[in-house]
């Protein structure tokens, strides 16, 4: 006879490869992949009792039904950890439960009481399990990894934290109460057994992601007619039958449960599944043979039938046996639960109304008396258990594991992102955004219809975009951390307006601070009399302008993800790139150190920014305006002067500032404004931008000349100063300084950031960003223009963003409300400067041009 979940024969185990076998890796099916996803599934379990293996077998059954051609392999964690580890751990487990339960309770309670102890214990186990697990995963290359054993999950979490495992990873928690050793922040999904289990999981690890599952048991454990089950086993169909099943090791107070059940006059039969515990079976067999109501079984062949034949099942651990009982729709009694996780499982099941908890023999006797005397209550308990067990299809839940989005646990912000968290306050929120202008829509649609379409896109795509699924949590001295949310509610991030007052709606949207009690981003659809706009804003800690626009495109565009464009380079190319970088670093470290030292000196001796008429105390109000320039002509003008387009745009900004200040307050010779110009630190070989959220920029400080000067001369000076700022070590020095600041604890970091990031050190922000030469479509409408909206800094009243997008360079100007006149005037001057620059170029013949060519 066979216990629950035991393999039927050794012939079911197939070799991993035709010519090799791997220690600890036991393939269960051996089918050739046919291109479907997933082609290979790895289950990581452990041979310690049968609960973890039973859960793994249930997953295998579901996988066979879903993907008949999929290969499934099972890995024994304890065997993988080294020779003798399995027998040692099983001996320790049995001794703790039977002889020193107080020691097991002490360890279990410490996991819950001291977070540092739980973290240290999990990291130790992860460091032990992770390396051998990594080797086997690389050898077998599974498409999906599922753990049914907590120590295996610790190893998978370590691999995830170290960036060594990117395939979907999940854990099926067969204990009813997930303890801290079961739950890990980097696992994509934990399946637990009830809503109460879900609450316990998030108490153990708030940043873990989980969902409620039906019991992960073999399909043989199903509701059956009790009399039919008894007939199939050759048992009498009448009478009240109690099954005592305490796992494959059958330890604990089994004999006291037998004595108490036999003492109840209404109990007709007591059946004990002794599993591998032959000593227990022998002791029970020695009892008076006239005691016909007691049947002690060894390794049972048909546990599903035996469970279905019982009226109640008495157990003591709350693991696989309890789940199998629930799946059969039978009442579970938890009697004298074993120490640690057994007691926690029993208490949680009782609170959820899914088990009767009997901590003593007297309470067990009273419960059995009540259940035997009240068939109505027994049926009510059975219906409750059956309702929990049949709430969904386990096969469907296994199917969902193959498409899990990558989950990341709580993690400390990068130094550049923490900078913007600490720079923000109630008056000057740090948020960046954009206005997307749509045109050529195939049909007229209302703002409500547009919002409905965007809500569908958010529901479908946002979980795959890290920038959109992280919320900001600030916890005292530990500093701000990212937490990945389990679900994104589209209408918490989206609204719509229909109004002819475009400027007023834009002002209201971008002035209000983005909420931080959820992922800090918002969208609004605005339908005016003549156009449709999508307004977007995000907390600046989520990303810089490049990451923001990239994420918006990936979220909203009609086409599927461009994998070829967004995917990282092949592994061998990445290795070659890393090797080349190392060689370059070694050969040029002296030159690099000199450049960084020069940049540090430049930063240290820069001094305060000059006084500017645009500086002043910040208010909570904002004003905005936008402008557009033709991309092709901007590039042509830049080529004519031998400078990049971004430099030309910043030079035009300097000219527009000069003209605006000249007519407002007047300007003098040599007058300048210090602006911060962001420079990206991304390289073309980096991770796709949508996966690489956060601020990957450093700022270069540039003194823009705004005094009286010829426009062409101003362009030349701006180009020289930008080039000097780029090559004098400022970017590297700024990055090092920001990283050093980020190492400080929050009580020191926050005041230092607020001392640095304010009008004393710069007068304005100017950002010229690359965009897209091939604008995408959203619901058939072309995203014709993107107009960036930048944040301000305390006392800094102006920020200008410029982005090349298709045929248009979009310009967005943000100003403090005390400078209400400024944005519109700057936009007018910028257009005027460009027209005059273009006219001057057209009227100046290039060297070598004939008189006739110039006239033409």
């Amino acid at each position: 006879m066979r216990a629950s979940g035991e393999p039927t024969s050794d012939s079911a185990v197939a070799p991993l490869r035709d010519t090799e076998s791997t220690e600890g890796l036991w393939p269960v099916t051996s089918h050739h992949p046919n291109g479907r996803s997933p082609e290979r599934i790895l289950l990581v379990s452990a041979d310690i009792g049968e609960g973890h293996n039973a859960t793994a077998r249930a997953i295998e059954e579901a996988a066979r039904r879903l993907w008949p051609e999929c290969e499934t392999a099972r890995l024994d964690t304890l065997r993988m950890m080294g020779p003798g580890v399995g027998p040692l751990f099983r001996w320790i487990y049995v001794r703790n439960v039977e002889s020193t339960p107080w020691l097991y309770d002490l360890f279990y309670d410490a996991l819950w009481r001291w977070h540092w102890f739980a973290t240290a214990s999990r990291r130790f186990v992860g460091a032990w399990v992770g390396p051998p697990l990594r080797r086997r995963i690389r050898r077998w290359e599974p498409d999906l990894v599922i753990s049914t054993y907590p120590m295996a999950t610790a190893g998978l979490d370590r691999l995830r934290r170290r960036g060594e495992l990117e395939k979907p990873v999940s854990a099926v928690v067969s204990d009813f109460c997930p303890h801290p050793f079961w739950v890990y922040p980097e696992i994509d999904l934990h399946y637990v057994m009830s809503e109460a289990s879900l609450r316990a999981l998030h108490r153990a690890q708030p940043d873990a992601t989980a969902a409620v599952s039906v019991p992960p048991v073999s399909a043989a454990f199903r509701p059956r007619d009790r009399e039919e089950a008894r007939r199939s086993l050759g048992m009498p169909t009448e009478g009240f039958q109690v099954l005592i099943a305490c796992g494959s090791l059958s330890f604990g107070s089994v004999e006291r449960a037998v004595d108490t059940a036999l003492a109840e006059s209404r109990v007709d039969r007591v059946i004990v599944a002794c599993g591998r515990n032959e000593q227990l079976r022998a002791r029970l067999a020695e009892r008076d043979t006239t005691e016909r109501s007691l049947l002690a079984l060894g390794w049972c062949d048909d546990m599903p039938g035996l469970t279905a034949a019982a009226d109640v099942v008495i157990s003591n651990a709350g693991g696989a046996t309890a789940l199998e009982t629930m799946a059969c729709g039978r009442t579970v009694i938890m009697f004298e639960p074993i120490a640690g996780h057994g007691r926690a499982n029993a208490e949680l099941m009782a609170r959820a109304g899914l088990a009767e908890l009997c901590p003593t023999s007297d309470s067990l006797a009273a419960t059995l008396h009540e259940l035997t005397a009240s068939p109505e209550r027994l049926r009510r308990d059975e219906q409750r258990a059956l309702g929990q067990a049949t709430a969904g299809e386990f096969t469907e839940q296994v199917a969902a594991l193959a498409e899990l989005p990558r989950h990341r646990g709580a993690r400390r912000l990068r130094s550049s992102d923490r900078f913007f968290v600490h720079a923000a306050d109630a008056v000057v929120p740090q948020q960046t955004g954009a206005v997307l202008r749509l045109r050529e829509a195939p049909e007229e649609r209302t703002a409500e219809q547009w919002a409905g379409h965007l809500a569908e896109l958010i529901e479908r795509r946002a979980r795959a975009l890290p920038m959109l699924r992280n919320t900001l949590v600030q916890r005292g001295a530990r500093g701000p951390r990212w937490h990945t949310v389990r679900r994104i509610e589209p209408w918490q991030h989206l609204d719509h307006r229909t109004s002819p007052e475009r400027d007023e709606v834009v002002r209201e949207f971008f002035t209000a601070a983005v909420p931080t009690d959820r992922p800090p981003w918002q969208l609004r659809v605005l339908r005016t009399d003549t156009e449709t706009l999508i307004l977007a804003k995000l907390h600046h800690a989520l990303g810089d302008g490049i990451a923001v626009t990239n994420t918006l495109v990936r979220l909203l565009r009609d086409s599927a993800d461009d994998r070829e464009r967004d995917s990282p380079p092949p592994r061998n190319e990445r290795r070659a790139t890393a090797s080349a970088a190392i060689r370059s670093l070694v050969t040029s470290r002296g030159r690099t150190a000199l450049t960084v030292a020069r940049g540090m000196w430049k930063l240290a001796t820069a001094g305060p920014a000059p006084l500017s008429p645009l500086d002043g105390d910040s208010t909570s109000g904002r004003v905005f305006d936008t402008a557009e320039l033709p991309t092709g002509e901007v590039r042509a003008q830049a080529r004519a002067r031998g400078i990049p387009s971004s430099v030309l745009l910043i030079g035009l900004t300097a000219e527009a500032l000069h003209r605006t200040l000249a007519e407002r307050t007047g300007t003098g010779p040599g007058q300048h404004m210090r602006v911060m110009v962001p420079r990206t630190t991304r390289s073309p070989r980096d991770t796709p931008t949508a996966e690489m959220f956060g601020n990957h920029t450093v700022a270069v400080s540039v003194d823009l000349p705004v005094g009286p000067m010829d426009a062409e001369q101003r362009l030349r000076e701006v180009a020289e100063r930008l080039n000097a700022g780029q090559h004098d070590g400022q970017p590297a020095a700024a990055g090092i300084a920001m990283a050093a600041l980020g190492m400080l604890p929050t009580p020191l970091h926050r005041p230092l950031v607020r001392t640095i990031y304010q009008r004393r050190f710069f007068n304005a922000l100017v950002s010229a960003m690359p965009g897209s030469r091939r604008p995408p479509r959203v619901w058939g409408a072309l995203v014709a223009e993107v107009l960036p909206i930048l944040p301000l800094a305390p006392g800094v009243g102006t920020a200008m963003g410029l982005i090349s997008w298709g045929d248009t360079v979009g310009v967005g100007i943000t100003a403090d409300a005390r400078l209400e006149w400024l944005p519109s005037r700057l936009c007018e001057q910028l257009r005027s400067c460009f027209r005059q620059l273009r006219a001057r170029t057209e009227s100046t013949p290039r060297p070598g041009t004939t008189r006739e060519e110039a006239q033409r």
Side-chain angles (χ1 to χ4, degrees):
M1 301 185 80
R2 180 177 63 87
S4 164
E6 183 70 5
T8 55
S9 70
D10 291 338
S11 62
V13 180
L16 175 62
R17 295 282 190 271
D18 294 336
T19 59
E20 69 175 36
S21 62
T22 303
E23 180 185 356
L25 194 56
W26 308 328
V28 181
T29 62
S30 183
H31 299 289
H32 294 292
N34 63 356
R36 298 178 186 175
S37 179
E39 296 179 355
R40 293 179 176 181
I41 299 175
L42 177 63
L43 290 134
V44 197
S45 183
D47 186 11
I48 183 165
E50 277 302 311
H52 303 293
N53 284 335
T55 302
R57 283 189 286 273
I59 298 169
E60 290 165 357
E61 285 185 11
R64 288 191 190 101
R65 290 192 292 270
L66 287 164
W67 308 291
E69 301 297 321
C70 178
E71 290 184 87
T72 307
R74 195 180 330 143
L75 183 65
D76 182 352
T77 306
L78 299 180
R79 184 180 175 189
M80 177 191 65
M81 290 168 69
V85 172
L88 175 63
F89 273 46
R90 286 188 286 272
W91 181 85
I92 291 173
Y93 179 49
V94 173
R95 294 287 78 76
N96 271 338
V97 171
E98 292 192 327
S99 304
T100 58
W102 61 269
L103 186 59
Y104 191 21
D105 275 335
L106 183 66
F107 174 75
Y108 188 84
D109 292 342
L111 290 175
W112 281 101
R113 185 172 302 170
W114 295 303
H115 179 77
W116 66 266
F117 178 75
T119 300
S121 300
R122 294 185 302 178
R123 293 290 175 90
F124 173 77
V125 171
W128 187 355
V129 177
L133 186 54
R134 179 186 63 241
R135 289 193 294 271
R136 286 155 177 83
I137 288 175
R138 286 182 176 176
R139 190 177 305 169
W140 207 57
E141 297 181 350
D143 301 303
L144 170 62
V145 183
I146 305 174
S147 170
T148 65
Y149 183 55
M151 293 176 71
T153 315
L156 294 170
D157 178 78
R158 172 186 167 87
L159 297 183
R160 272 297 180 82
R161 284 186 286 105
R162 295 167 66 90
E164 296 173 332
L165 178 58
E166 290 303 321
K167 299 296 184 181
V169 177
S170 59
V172 180
V173 182
S174 52
D175 278 336
F176 203 83
C177 181
H179 53 75
F181 231 116
W182 254 123
V183 187
Y184 293 84
E186 296 299 315
I187 303 304
D188 295 327
L189 184 69
H190 300 76
Y191 270 143
V192 296
M193 299 302 108
S194 72
E195 293 293 338
S197 308
L198 197 62
R199 290 191 290 272
L201 178 141
H202 289 133
R203 184 163 66 91
Q205 188 71 44
D207 55 334
T209 183
V212 176
S213 166
V214 297
V217 299
S218 168
F221 290 95
R222 66 185 189 279
R224 290 172 59 186
D225 179 73
R226 186 177 282 105
E227 292 185 5
E228 184 273 329
R230 292 179 180 181
R231 278 194 297 269
S232 69
L233 293 170
M235 295 178 176
T237 58
E238 302 297 326
F240 194 94
Q241 181 169 297
V242 174
L243 172 64
I244 301 176
C246 296
S248 64
L249 301 176
S250 198
F251 50 38
S253 305
V254 177
E255 291 177 87
R256 276 199 293 275
V258 170
D259 294 337
T260 305
L262 289 174
E264 171 53 49
S265 60
R266 294 191 181 91
V267 172
D268 297 288
R269 277 175 302 282
V270 177
I271 299 175
V272 184
C274 299
R276 295 193 178 98
N277 195 335
E278 288 299 324
Q279 293 177 340
L280 171 66
R281 184 184 181 189
R283 288 197 302 271
L284 294 176
E286 290 174 358
R287 294 195 176 207
D288 188 352
T289 55
T290 61
E291 217 173 73
R292 298 176 57 83
S293 57
L294 174 62
L295 176 62
L297 302 175
W299 196 248
C300 300
D301 218 3
D302 189 10
M303 279 301 293
L306 204 58
T307 304
D311 288 283
V312 298
V313 176
I314 298 176
S315 191
N316 62 4
T321 299
L323 300 178
E324 291 165 352
T325 303
M326 290 168 52
C328 291
R330 298 296 181 257
T331 299
V332 183
I333 297 177
M334 300 296 293
F335 172 61
E336 292 190 19
I338 62 174
H341 72 283
R343 185 174 296 114
N345 289 339
E347 292 173 352
L348 194 61
M349 290 183 73
R351 285 201 299 271
L354 297 173
E356 300 288 339
L357 176 56
C358 300
T360 65
S361 297
D362 289 343
S363 60
L364 175 60
T367 298
L368 286 174
H369 182 79
E370 186 176 349
L371 291 174
T372 55
S374 176
E376 294 80 13
R377 180 188 166 182
L378 185 64
R379 302 296 172 260
R380 200 164 51 245
D381 289 350
E382 289 177 348
Q383 288 301 315
R384 187 181 297 117
L386 199 57
Q388 177 72 19
T390 58
E393 281 289 336
F394 186 60
T395 303
E396 296 176 2
Q397 292 169 333
V398 171
L401 300 181
E403 300 296 332
L404 290 175
R406 174 72 165 91
H407 177 77
R408 289 175 170 84
R411 58 211 176 278
R412 184 172 173 170
L413 275 67
R414 297 171 63 254
S415 58
S416 55
D417 304 335
R418 292 179 74 214
F419 187 95
F420 290 108
V421 171
H422 296 325
D425 59 33
V427 177
V428 190
Q430 292 299 308
Q431 56 195 38
T432 185
V435 177
L436 280 61
R437 181 171 289 154
L438 309 179
R439 73 179 182 207
E440 300 177 14
E443 60 185 57
E444 196 73 16
R445 301 185 180 104
T446 65
E448 185 175 6
Q449 290 172 323
W450 271 105
H453 176 70
L454 298 193
E456 292 177 7
L457 295 178
I458 293 170
E459 186 77 36
R460 191 164 68 247
R461 297 177 178 174
R463 279 286 297 170
L465 298 170
M467 182 180 288
L468 302 184
R469 57 189 176 96
N470 286 277
T471 189
L472 193 61
V473 177
Q474 301 194 54
R475 293 184 174 177
R478 292 184 64 193
R481 291 177 177 263
W482 290 124
H483 280 240
T484 302
V485 298
R486 292 177 290 279
R487 179 175 174 79
I488 296 174
E489 297 291 345
W491 296 106
Q492 288 186 345
H493 301 272
L494 173 67
D495 64 11
H496 58 87
R497 297 286 178 85
T498 301
S499 172
E501 301 296 331
R502 170 188 180 274
D503 293 344
E504 187 59 36
V505 175
V506 169
R507 178 186 297 195
E508 181 261 326
F509 178 78
F510 286 109
T511 298
V514 66
T516 55
D517 61 342
R518 66 203 74 165
W521 57 274
Q522 297 285 145
L523 298 178
R524 172 175 291 172
V525 177
L526 171 59
R527 187 81 179 93
T528 69
D529 296 335
T530 58
E531 61 184 355
T532 300
L533 306 175
I534 298 176
L535 316 181
K537 63 182 177 183
L538 305 91
H539 197 293
H540 207 353
L542 276 175
D544 50 51
I546 296 174
V548 168
T549 54
N550 184 283
T551 296
L552 287 175
V553 167
R554 289 170 64 93
L555 174 67
L556 303 176
R557 66 185 177 191
D558 290 339
S559 59
D561 288 350
D562 186 351
R563 291 187 176 90
E564 183 174 331
R565 186 190 312 164
D566 292 335
S567 62
R571 185 175 298 173
N572 59 352
E573 182 181 336
R574 289 202 305 272
R575 287 176 179 170
T577 300
S579 300
I582 292 172
R583 287 196 301 271
S584 175
L585 179 63
V586 170
T587 57
S588 63
R589 62 180 181 268
R591 186 167 58 253
T592 301
L594 184 61
T595 301
V596 171
R598 189 165 57 246
M600 287 290 189
W601 175 257
K602 182 76 173 178
L603 291 177
T605 58
L611 296 177
S612 168
L614 304 183
D615 294 342
D617 293 337
S618 296
T619 70
S620 58
R622 298 290 180 270
V623 287
F624 308 92
D625 208 343
T626 58
E628 305 81 25
L629 299 174
T631 301
E633 295 186 22
V634 168
R635 291 191 181 122
Q637 295 303 313
R639 281 195 302 271
R641 291 162 177 81
I643 57 176
S645 298
S646 59
V647 174
L648 179 80
L649 291 170
I650 295 173
L652 285 172
T653 300
E655 180 68 19
L657 284 168
H658 156 68
R659 296 186 184 188
T660 302
L661 293 175
E663 66 183 17
R664 188 79 181 183
T665 61
T667 60
Q671 185 173 340
H672 64 274
M673 284 181 61
R674 182 168 299 167
V675 300
M676 288 295 179
V677 180
R679 290 291 190 226
T680 183
T681 59
R682 290 182 171 89
S683 77
R685 293 185 175 89
D686 277 337
T687 304
T689 305
E691 298 295 325
M692 192 179 173
F693 77 98
N695 288 269
H696 295 266
T697 59
V698 293
V700 176
S701 172
V702 180
D703 289 341
L704 294 185
V706 294
M709 185 181 298
D710 178 74
E712 292 290 346
Q713 182 184 351
R714 195 183 312 276
L715 280 177
R716 288 191 295 271
E717 284 204 21
V718 168
E720 290 170 2
R721 295 186 185 191
L722 284 170
N723 186 63
Q726 181 72 17
H727 293 93
D728 66 0
Q730 270 200 66
I736 291 172
M738 186 169 284
L741 280 175
M743 296 173 66
L744 297 174
T746 295
L748 292 177
H749 192 203
R750 182 183 292 115
L752 277 174
V753 167
R754 293 183 177 180
T755 300
I756 296 167
Y757 198 65
Q758 45 110 339
R759 66 185 176 192
R760 174 176 170 78
F761 295 103
F762 61 101
N763 310 116
L765 289 144
V766 179
S767 178
M769 297 171 280
S772 174
R773 295 196 178 194
R774 295 180 297 172
R777 290 184 178 271
V778 177
W779 210 11
L782 184 70
V783 183
E785 297 171 16
V786 171
L787 307 165
I789 304 295
L790 302 186
L792 302 179
V796 176
T798 315
M800 300 180 65
L802 307 97
I803 185 169
S804 300
W805 193 265
D807 297 333
T808 303
V809 174
V811 181
I813 299 176
T814 305
D816 193 282
R818 60 185 170 77
L819 302 172
E820 188 170 4
W821 52 273
L822 181 63
S824 59
R825 194 63 192 138
L826 266 179
C827 286
E828 291 175 12
Q829 292 289 5
L830 193 64
R831 296 188 194 98
S832 174
C833 293
F834 185 71
R835 286 195 299 268
Q836 293 176 15
L837 195 70
R838 185 175 55 188
R840 179 179 296 187
T841 303
E842 292 172 351
S843 65
T844 304
R846 294 191 303 273
T849 304
T850 65
R851 183 186 302 272
E852 292 77 9
E853 288 174 334
Q855 290 174 349
R856 286 198 300 269

